[in-house]
Amino acid sequence: MQRAAALVRRGCSPRTPGPWGRSRSSAAAEAPAVLKVRPERGRRERILTLESMNPQVKAVEYAVRGPIVLKAGEIELELQRGIKKPFTEVIRANIGDAQAMGQQPITFLRQVMALCTYPNLLDSPSFPEDAKKRARRILQACGGNSLGSYSASQGVNCIREDVAAYITRRDGGVPADPDNIYLTTGASDGITTILKILVSGDGKSRTGVMISVPQYPLYSAVISELDAIQVNYYLDEENCWALNVNELRRAVREAKDHCDPKVLCIINPGNPTGQVQSRKCIEDVIHFAWEEKLFLLADEVYQDNVYSPDCRFHSFKKVLYEMGPEYSSNVELASFHSTSKGYMGECGYRGGYMEVINLHPEIKGQLVKLLSVRLCPPVSGQAAMDIVVNPPVPGEESFEQFSREKESVLGDLARKAKLTEDLFNQVPGIHCNPLQGSMYAFPRVFIPPKAVEAAQAHKMAPDMFYCMKLLEETGICVVPGSGFGQREGTYHFRMTILPPVEKLKTVLQKVKDFHVKFLEKYA
Amino acid sequence: MQRAAALVRRGCSPRTPGPWGRSRSSAAAEAPAVLKVRPERGRRERILTLESMNPQVKAVEYAVRGPIVLKAGEIELELQRGIKKPFTEVIRANIGDAQAMGQQPITFLRQVMALCTYPNLLDSPSFPEDAKKRARRILQACGGNSLGSYSASQGVNCIREDVAAYITRRDGGVPADPDNIYLTTGASDGITTILKILVSGDGKSRTGVMISVPQYPLYSAVISELDAIQVNYYLDEENCWALNVNELRRAVREAKDHCDPKVLCIINPGNPTGQVQSRKCIEDVIHFAWEEKLFLLADEVYQDNVYSPDCRFHSFKKVLYEMGPEYSSNVELASFHSTSKGYMGECGYRGGYMEVINLHPEIKGQLVKLLSVRLCPPVSGQAAMDIVVNPPVPGEESFEQFSREKESVLGDLARKAKLTEDLFNQVPGIHCNPLQGSMYAFPRVFIPPKAVEAAQAHKMAPDMFYCMKLLEETGICVVPGSGFGQREGTYHFRMTILPPVEKLKTVLQKVKDFHVKFLEKYA
């Protein structure tokens, strides 16, 4: 097992990468020095330059919307202008954006949202009574009965109550307190906010934040921005990307030389890796956090996206309570959910919530204060979150249609997860772990040494080079593994399984053909 | 003219204030030390405490939603429980939340939003064609034709085009480029993001951010959070809160001893002070920014809220261009607008935009990268912004109703602005400058020495004490001037003029009665 040299990477690095990080040409990154010497004609030197800007922001990297996505946009424009390509459309499999891939919104959710938006519709016979009931309840809790008023900074009261009721049901009766629920602008906002409060210290007392590798790059980006220390723990690719507590121990032990590890972030089901953690694993992680006095962040936005018949979603909260009072009254936990994933895929509304456990009452005050600076999360997103946690129940008018739509989306995703795994594993030089959950495949690809050399000549990471070629030759846009982190010398990409089944089959066939040709070319 | 001692206040102070800053009792602020000595029974010491948390976040203060608003919430609960008070309802005049105060949404805006939310309604005869046309245009620009897809991080293309067209119209033909438009989660998000990129340096090279005093506390909060240096310049209360460039010169000169002043923030029309800057003043400010090499931030969210017949809104962008190429190709400017204010008052949707001028191309890349970490602003808020910048025009079906609704809101606000000024100035010990624009009165109140002593005994700022008493005795919730900043020894409060006319009259009468009694009591 190769151990990467930089186990602990400083958030703020002395490199000056391009805006999207290390995969960009370093020549571009050095432009400000040139500009200084040769200012544009008639223009004074600018105040805000790459040299003068916030170095922590400069250090931020975010691959999911990085250079490959910019390139995809350029290619789309070229196609629109009639420029001939070996393909007719760009397929954006880089981001978990279900509705952009043709998934239809859940009717009930949109009915309630429309009623809240334009309450005249409450008199319309074309809307079901259960949708009207929910819309009235939400509006009654809004200032002036309008989605256009600010809500409390923590979110609309009755929606926080609905979230708490949902969590209690989900966790088989483990109680949830609306006071511990904070509605957020997507899950990203909650994660950023709690990390912002957690980070402190200088030198060796700087806060270490443990994140999985591969990880979702929001975490590394926020760690950079906050000038905290990123502490990597590696998921076990040989073992379906499982989390091994011995690896956590290794990581925390080594990190203590450099920083003060204070936070442990877990993504379950995994992104980009798609594994679903076993109950035993979660128990081990909680025990480890308790032992090492780590604040736990559980990113559970894919809690509805579990496909493997052998897997079940267990929330960290539930397991924490089942482990007894020593844990449930001591371990500090924040968990996150969102309207963007699951079966609803309402990314654009930016709805989400965070539940905090064992947060010090004074820190809760600090949290509300910090949230109040931004006034409130979008109230339409809060309303969307309410429908996610408070869907139609048996006996209600919309129950049947709602259930049918939900099952259809989740059933399709399960089929596509299996299909993707099977097809990738038929390609020589590609290995793909089972997609137990979430929305992504993260296959490992063999990149021949000659291709690695070619990538170096283009000043690109080898997997960026691979993904750029894939995009240019097939129109398929995926994200290089280097954007999520991977063991040195291994290469991956992340691809969503969101295209409709027939299109996904075509995509997979095209990736296969591309890969075979790529291996031949660089043999 | 008294010069406040602390002209330049460090963002991060050695005090440990309560979550809402200096107005809280310091006893409460010292609780963590107590907790450490006497941990709760069976509970380990927590990881995240006031002592261990991010000190920059701890230093953040945000008065608009501070302790007075918490108290208002408590009183509302008591009223609901039937506890008798000298009043029957709490009137929240603390925040510019128009619809919460009963202002009706603009029908056309909500029609377009409902159509975008639930496109089945595009077949309904109850919606006008011009609303359907706009909804179709927005949806066609969204991934999967859905508000539920992520947009580009910079915002939906056609909405940015509409914003640019609006600015060009507003500024009498000065061109605006959609590439310079960034859609944001309310204006707060844009202001925070651009400040985040601007701040850098250590020690004496730390970034100084010039803000007016009084200011809108978003600025001081973000400056604290970013550990930048707040550089105060005082508005001239004796001269209708005008901005005097000599005061800017004084502030920047003194600041240079401590930091590197790099940013100048202007709020026009003013918040909380309601002044509207003259064209001459804006020209002076731009020349000053050019001379001192300052990056200009123009917070213009109240651009539609100008009431004085002698005043007009001039955008910084327009004046910049009219000053000629030396300025228009050199001065770096970011200006902000929002769906929350104006005549629409759509706060809950969190829509906004930022226009940047002369931003270095590489910084634009950095900006998009930073925005992309949060994926995108709420797409429903973007759609709301589109209607604000692209309303019905003469000849369109909805034009008449739209115009009527818009004029009604703005006419009411103008009447209420005059009414408020007049009534306050009839009260002995209250002086109120003309409300030329925005949505607030910021009257100066005389607080007798005995009341100042009483406040000190309660460990409160004198104006906090005054506002707490006002709330407890009348149910009227306003924000103490200390939350916005004011010259030492002067006291103010901010009150919105948003309640309906008749209610506003009652509110003003109650404030008058309270004030007279207060003066008597503490004579």
Side-chain angles (χ1 to χ4, degrees):
Chain A
M1 223 171 69
Q2 192 184 4
R3 184 183 291 165
L7 289 166
V8 178
R9 188 173 71 78
R10 275 216 39 193
C12 173
S13 100
R15 290 175 298 107
T16 46
W20 302 99
R22 65 187 63 150
S23 310
R24 282 280 284 257
S25 144
S26 63
E30 281 151 21
V34 177
L35 266 176
K36 208 177 173 185
V37 181
R38 298 182 308 185
E40 295 150 66
R41 198 201 303 268
R43 192 194 279 283
R44 302 198 310 195
E45 199 189 328
R46 284 187 236 225
I47 300 155
L48 182 54
T49 64
L50 280 189
E51 277 180 326
S52 72
M53 74 178 280
N54 186 337
Q56 292 160 221
V57 171
K58 193 156 69 184
V60 165
E61 300 178 4
Y62 189 71
V64 173
R65 294 199 151 194
I68 197 121
V69 182
L70 295 182
K71 182 78 186 170
E74 287 167 22
I75 292 177
E76 276 174 335
L77 283 178
E78 289 173 1
L79 286 171
Q80 280 169 26
R81 278 194 234 107
I83 296 173
K84 282 272 177 297
K85 303 269 171 191
F87 48 89
T88 55
E89 63 166 339
V90 169
I91 295 171
R92 291 181 176 256
N94 57 297
I95 189 166
D97 191 1
Q99 296 189 19
M101 280 289 165
Q103 183 182 308
Q104 291 306 300
I106 298 289
T107 305
F108 183 77
L109 189 146
R110 291 302 189 94
Q111 285 174 330
V112 178
M113 299 288 285
L115 290 161
C116 288
T117 303
Y118 191 56
N120 288 16
L121 294 170
L122 286 165
D123 300 326
S124 161
S126 350
F127 285 79
E129 275 310 313
D130 46 1
K132 289 182 183 174
K133 192 176 116 192
R134 277 170 184 73
R136 282 197 196 96
R137 180 157 179 279
I138 292 169
L139 289 175
Q140 272 161 18
C142 291
N145 300 329
S146 172
L147 287 194
S149 301
Y150 293 119
S151 74
S153 302
Q154 196 171 348
V156 173
N157 280 352
C158 82
I159 301 179
R160 292 191 291 110
E161 285 165 14
D162 287 347
V163 168
Y166 159 81
I167 294 173
T168 306
R169 282 197 311 277
R170 181 197 69 189
D171 291 345
V174 175
D177 182 346
D179 266 1
N180 289 337
I181 309 296
Y182 297 75
L183 299 177
T184 54
T185 308
S188 305
D189 174 45
I191 293 166
T192 306
T193 303
I194 199 82
L195 281 174
K196 199 182 275 176
I197 293 185
L198 273 160
V199 162
S200 65
D202 277 311
K204 279 187 71 174
S205 74
R206 228 150 105 216
T207 298
V209 180
M210 301 184 72
I211 62 173
S212 61
V213 172
Q215 54 113 17
Y216 175 57
L218 166 70
Y219 291 91
S220 49
V222 174
I223 290 168
S224 286
E225 211 183 300
L226 295 172
D227 208 18
I229 303 277
Q230 177 176 324
V231 178
N232 294 335
Y233 64 89
Y234 288 82
L235 300 176
D236 186 359
E237 184 166 14
E238 278 26 88
N239 191 14
C240 290
W241 295 114
L243 194 169
N244 185 314
V245 173
N246 289 331
E247 168 61 8
L248 290 179
R249 283 192 217 290
R250 194 268 321 146
V252 84
R253 191 176 59 238
E254 297 185 16
K256 281 176 181 169
D257 293 341
H258 313 278
C259 67
D260 175 21
K262 207 160 84 177
V263 190
L264 170 56
C265 303
I266 306 280
I267 312 176
N268 177 50
N271 175 6
T273 39
Q275 82 287 10
V276 176
Q277 292 183 348
S278 68
R279 200 188 170 293
K280 169 75 170 62
C281 171
I282 294 173
E283 226 182 279
D284 290 349
V285 169
I286 292 173
H287 178 74
F288 170 79
W290 173 87
E291 207 174 44
E292 292 287 344
K293 299 198 170 71
L294 298 168
F295 193 108
L296 259 175
L297 259 59
D299 180 340
E300 302 179 323
V301 300
Y302 296 99
Q303 56 190 269
D304 284 318
N305 300 98
V306 175
Y307 314 119
S308 280
D310 309 332
C311 294
R312 252 187 71 201
F313 170 74
H314 302 275
S315 79
F316 268 73
K317 161 95 178 288
K318 178 167 185 259
V319 177
L320 179 67
Y321 273 72
E322 289 170 351
M323 285 170 74
E326 178 58 25
Y327 296 92
S328 67
S329 55
N330 281 314
V331 174
E332 288 154 76
L333 167 71
S335 64
F336 307 92
H337 195 15
S338 154
T339 58
S340 304
K341 310 301 171 188
Y343 54 90
M344 47 286 179
E346 294 284 8
C347 310
Y349 282 99
R350 314 303 301 119
Y353 75 74
M354 157 168 82
E355 183 188 23
V356 296
I357 304 295
N358 289 321
L359 207 65
H360 195 296
E362 290 183 325
I363 294 295
K364 283 176 151 183
Q366 292 286 331
L367 187 53
V368 170
K369 178 194 72 175
L370 185 60
L371 292 170
S372 73
V373 176
R374 304 284 197 91
L375 299 163
C376 69
V379 182
S380 51
Q382 297 184 45
M385 194 76 241
D386 190 62
I387 312 314
V388 172
V389 296
N390 186 20
V393 293
E396 284 190 309
E397 192 178 343
S398 304
F399 178 70
E400 201 205 337
Q401 184 183 0
F402 170 80
S403 305
R404 202 169 56 238
E405 291 177 356
K406 176 178 171 179
E407 296 315 320
S408 161
V409 171
L410 291 176
D412 270 3
L413 282 170
R415 276 186 289 281
K416 293 191 281 190
K418 191 79 183 68
L419 179 77
T420 305
E421 177 196 342
D422 291 348
L423 281 182
F424 273 143
N425 284 325
Q426 288 167 20
V427 187
I430 294 188
H431 171 74
C432 185
N433 271 327
L435 280 67
Q436 299 170 337
S438 86
M439 301 180 161
Y440 313 100
F442 195 68
R444 180 163 171 175
V445 288
F446 172 66
I447 298 188
K450 278 197 180 163
V452 173
E453 281 167 31
Q456 277 158 356
H458 285 82
K459 296 199 161 85
M460 278 185 193
D463 51 3
M464 174 63 87
F465 179 75
Y466 179 95
C467 293
M468 277 288 185
K469 291 279 171 211
L470 176 67
L471 173 63
E472 286 163 4
E473 292 177 24
T474 66
I476 299 165
C477 180
V478 299
V479 187
S482 47
F484 304 90
Q486 53 200 353
R487 285 199 181 270
E488 226 173 297
T490 70
Y491 304 111
H492 303 77
F493 62 82
R494 187 187 83 162
M495 190 188 92
T496 72
I497 56 166
L498 293 170
V501 176
E502 286 312 309
K503 191 174 230 172
L504 183 63
K505 282 184 186 162
T506 316
V507 166
L508 292 166
Q509 185 60 46
K510 282 186 171 184
V511 174
K512 179 181 174 178
D513 296 345
F514 164 82
H515 187 79
V516 169
K517 265 175 57 192
F518 186 88
L519 288 194
E520 279 168 15
K521 181 166 178 190
Y522 295 102
Chain B
M1 220 170 71
Q2 193 185 4
R3 186 182 290 164
L7 291 165
V8 178
R9 189 173 72 80
R10 274 217 40 193
C12 172
S13 100
R15 291 174 295 108
T16 46
W20 302 99
R22 65 187 66 149
S23 309
R24 281 281 282 256
S25 142
S26 64
E30 281 152 21
V34 178
L35 267 175
K36 208 177 172 184
V37 181
R38 300 183 306 188
E40 294 150 67
R41 197 199 303 267
R43 193 193 279 282
R44 302 199 310 194
E45 199 188 328
R46 287 188 235 224
I47 299 154
L48 181 54
T49 63
L50 280 189
E51 279 181 325
S52 73
M53 73 175 284
N54 186 335
Q56 294 161 218
V57 170
K58 193 157 66 184
V60 165
E61 298 178 3
Y62 190 70
V64 175
R65 294 200 152 195
I68 196 119
V69 182
L70 296 182
K71 183 76 187 170
E74 286 168 23
I75 292 177
E76 277 175 334
L77 283 179
E78 288 173 1
L79 285 172
Q80 281 169 25
R81 277 194 234 107
I83 296 174
K84 282 271 176 294
K85 302 267 172 194
F87 48 88
T88 55
E89 63 167 337
V90 170
I91 295 171
R92 291 182 176 255
N94 58 297
I95 187 167
D97 191 1
Q99 297 189 17
M101 280 290 163
Q103 184 181 308
Q104 291 306 300
I106 297 289
T107 304
F108 183 77
L109 190 147
R110 291 303 188 92
Q111 284 174 330
V112 179
M113 300 287 286
L115 291 161
C116 288
T117 303
Y118 191 56
N120 288 16
L121 294 171
L122 286 164
D123 300 327
S124 160
S126 353
F127 285 80
E129 275 309 313
D130 46 1
K132 288 182 183 173
K133 192 177 115 192
R134 279 170 183 71
R136 282 197 194 95
R137 181 157 178 278
I138 293 169
L139 288 175
Q140 271 161 20
C142 292
N145 301 328
S146 172
L147 288 195
S149 301
Y150 292 120
S151 74
S153 302
Q154 196 171 348
V156 173
N157 281 351
C158 82
I159 300 179
R160 291 192 292 111
E161 286 165 14
D162 288 347
V163 169
Y166 159 79
I167 294 173
T168 306
R169 281 196 313 277
R170 181 196 69 186
D171 290 346
V174 175
D177 182 346
D179 267 2
N180 289 337
I181 309 297
Y182 296 76
L183 299 177
T184 54
T185 308
S188 305
D189 174 45
I191 294 165
T192 307
T193 303
I194 199 82
L195 281 174
K196 199 183 274 179
I197 293 185
L198 274 160
V199 163
S200 64
D202 277 313
K204 279 187 70 174
S205 74
R206 226 149 108 217
T207 298
V209 180
M210 300 183 73
I211 63 173
S212 62
V213 171
Q215 54 112 19
Y216 174 57
L218 167 70
Y219 291 92
S220 49
V222 173
I223 290 168
S224 286
E225 208 183 301
L226 295 172
D227 209 17
I229 303 278
Q230 177 177 324
V231 178
N232 294 336
Y233 63 89
Y234 288 81
L235 300 176
D236 185 359
E237 182 165 16
E238 271 51 62
N239 192 14
C240 288
W241 295 115
L243 194 168
N244 185 315
V245 173
N246 289 331
E247 167 63 8
L248 290 179
R249 282 191 220 292
R250 194 271 316 149
V252 83
R253 191 178 58 238
E254 295 186 17
K256 281 175 181 170
D257 292 342
H258 313 277
C259 67
D260 175 21
K262 205 160 83 177
V263 190
L264 171 56
C265 303
I266 307 281
I267 313 177
N268 178 49
N271 176 5
T273 40
Q275 83 287 10
V276 176
Q277 293 184 347
S278 68
R279 198 186 171 294
K280 169 73 170 62
C281 171
I282 294 174
E283 226 181 279
D284 289 350
V285 169
I286 292 173
H287 177 74
F288 171 79
W290 172 86
E291 208 174 45
E292 291 287 345
K293 298 198 170 71
L294 296 169
F295 193 108
L296 260 176
L297 259 57
D299 180 339
E300 303 179 322
V301 300
Y302 296 99
Q303 56 190 266
D304 284 318
N305 299 97
V306 176
Y307 314 120
S308 278
D310 310 330
C311 295
R312 253 187 70 202
F313 171 73
H314 302 275
S315 79
F316 268 74
K317 161 97 178 288
K318 177 167 184 262
V319 177
L320 180 67
Y321 274 72
E322 289 169 350
M323 287 171 71
E326 178 59 25
Y327 297 91
S328 68
S329 56
N330 281 315
V331 174
E332 288 156 74
L333 168 70
S335 64
F336 307 91
H337 196 14
S338 151
T339 59
S340 303
K341 311 301 171 185
Y343 53 89
M344 47 287 177
E346 294 285 8
C347 310
Y349 282 100
R350 314 306 299 120
Y353 76 74
M354 157 167 80
E355 183 187 22
V356 296
I357 305 295
N358 291 320
L359 206 66
H360 195 297
E362 289 183 326
I363 294 296
K364 284 175 150 184
Q366 293 286 332
L367 186 53
V368 171
K369 178 194 73 176
L370 185 60
L371 292 170
S372 72
V373 175
R374 303 283 197 93
L375 299 162
C376 69
V379 182
S380 51
Q382 297 184 45
M385 194 76 241
D386 191 61
I387 312 313
V388 173
V389 297
N390 187 21
V393 292
E396 283 190 312
E397 191 177 345
S398 303
F399 178 71
E400 202 205 337
Q401 184 183 359
F402 170 80
S403 304
R404 202 170 53 237
E405 291 176 357
K406 176 178 170 179
E407 296 315 319
S408 162
V409 171
L410 292 177
D412 270 2
L413 282 171
R415 274 184 291 281
K416 293 190 281 190
K418 191 75 183 68
L419 178 77
T420 304
E421 178 196 341
D422 291 349
L423 283 182
F424 273 144
N425 284 325
Q426 289 168 17
V427 187
I430 295 190
H431 171 75
C432 185
N433 271 326
L435 280 67
Q436 302 171 333
S438 87
M439 301 178 161
Y440 314 100
F442 195 67
R444 181 162 170 175
V445 288
F446 172 66
I447 298 187
K450 278 199 180 159
V452 174
E453 279 168 33
Q456 278 159 355
H458 286 83
K459 296 198 161 90
M460 279 187 192
D463 51 2
M464 174 63 87
F465 178 74
Y466 180 93
C467 294
M468 276 288 185
K469 291 279 171 209
L470 176 67
L471 174 63
E472 285 164 4
E473 293 178 23
T474 66
I476 298 166
C477 180
V478 299
V479 188
S482 48
F484 304 91
Q486 54 200 354
R487 284 198 183 271
E488 227 174 296
T490 71
Y491 305 111
H492 302 76
F493 61 82
R494 189 186 83 164
M495 190 189 92
T496 72
I497 56 166
L498 294 170
V501 177
E502 287 312 310
K503 190 174 230 172
L504 183 63
K505 283 184 187 162
T506 316
V507 166
L508 291 166
Q509 186 59 47
K510 282 187 172 183
V511 174
K512 180 181 171 177
D513 297 345
F514 165 81
H515 187 78
V516 171
K517 265 175 54 192
F518 187 87
L519 289 194
E520 281 169 14
K521 181 165 180 190
Y522 295 100

